[in-house]
Amino acid sequence: MTYTTMYSQIAGTVLGVTVGVTALTSALFLQTNQSFKPKIQPSNGAFSIWSLIFLTSFIHSVYTAVDKRDVTNKELLLTMGTVICQSVAYLLSSLWVPYWSSEKYKAGALIILLAFISSTASVAFDAIHFQTKESFGNEKWLEVFCRRAAVALLSSWLLIASYISQTFNNKNLDSDWAIVWLSIIASCISAFGAQPFSVFPVVWA
């Protein structure tokens, strides 16, 4: 086993763990009994998208963790960048839960904003990875699909969560036009990353 393979497998394992921790933390500790209701807020059913985000991220982590291919240094860098940024976003999302549940909205808004930035960085790494011709033919279609879907869905949903979190600290941001701006931002991320999945969470919400 080469060092590139080993590092890639470790990164995949770390991602799988962070996905599990975030899912468990959200299920056990998240409470949403806020008195303030933003004008733009997903319905309870819309949060089921987390099941798809967790599932695609976990499958992506498994493929990465068991991958025994001898990847190039460039592929390793892109894989590590994608996975580490995803993992950081998940860890921050886990950290956000206790702050938000205890109504510490300023800290919660900052944490979820950082999670969004980290997840968007993973979209950028994945976009470069997807355009790297070296990797074509070496990856299974399900592996590529789950990686691309996972990073885009997570980033776009955290975009919505970040906006809503900011409205709790600044009511002036609470606007009926927010969905338009969120759609524009998600579309820009979609265009930049050649990501058809980025707009889906905004539409779903």
Side-chain angles (χ1 to χ4, degrees), residues 69-87:
R69 290 181 294 121
D70 184 13
V71 298
T72 64
N73 289 334
K74 182 177 181 180
E75 280 189 280
L76 175 64
L77 176 62
L78 296 173
T79 297
M80 294 287 285
T82 303
V83 171
I84 289 174
C85 288
Q86 264 186 291
S87 299

Side-chain angles (χ1 to χ4, degrees), residues 65-177:
V66 303
D67 191 358
K68 296 181 179 180
R69 290 181 294 121
D70 184 13
V71 298
T72 64
N73 289 334
K74 182 177 181 180
E75 280 189 280
L76 175 64
L77 176 62
L78 296 173
T79 297
M80 294 287 285
T82 303
V83 171
I84 289 174
C85 288
Q86 264 186 291
S87 299
V88 170
Y90 274 118
L91 286 175
L92 288 170
S93 298
S94 297
L95 183 61
W96 169 83
V97 170
Y99 280 94
W100 198 256
S101 296
S102 58
E103 299 187 4
K104 296 178 180 178
Y105 297 136
K106 288 186 178 180
L110 175 60
I111 290 170
I112 208 67
L113 175 62
L114 293 174
F116 163 65
I117 293 172
S118 182
S119 64
T120 303
S122 72
V123 172
F125 278 110
D126 173 66
I128 299 172
H129 189 182
F130 184 69
Q131 295 166 11
T132 301
K133 302 299 182 182
E134 303 169 15
S135 63
F136 288 178
N138 296 325
E139 297 177 306
K140 296 180 175 61
W141 72 267
L142 183 60
E143 177 182 3
V144 177
F145 174 85
C146 287
R147 185 186 73 237
R148 305 223 77 211
V151 298
L153 293 174
L154 178 63
S155 173
S156 190
W157 190 258
L158 289 179
L159 166 65
I160 300 170
S162 181
Y163 163 73
I164 293 174
S165 297
Q166 295 299 327
T167 63
F168 278 77
N169 299 312
N170 186 350
K171 303 298 189 298
N172 293 327
L173 295 175
D174 190 25
S175 169
D176 292 325
W177 287 92

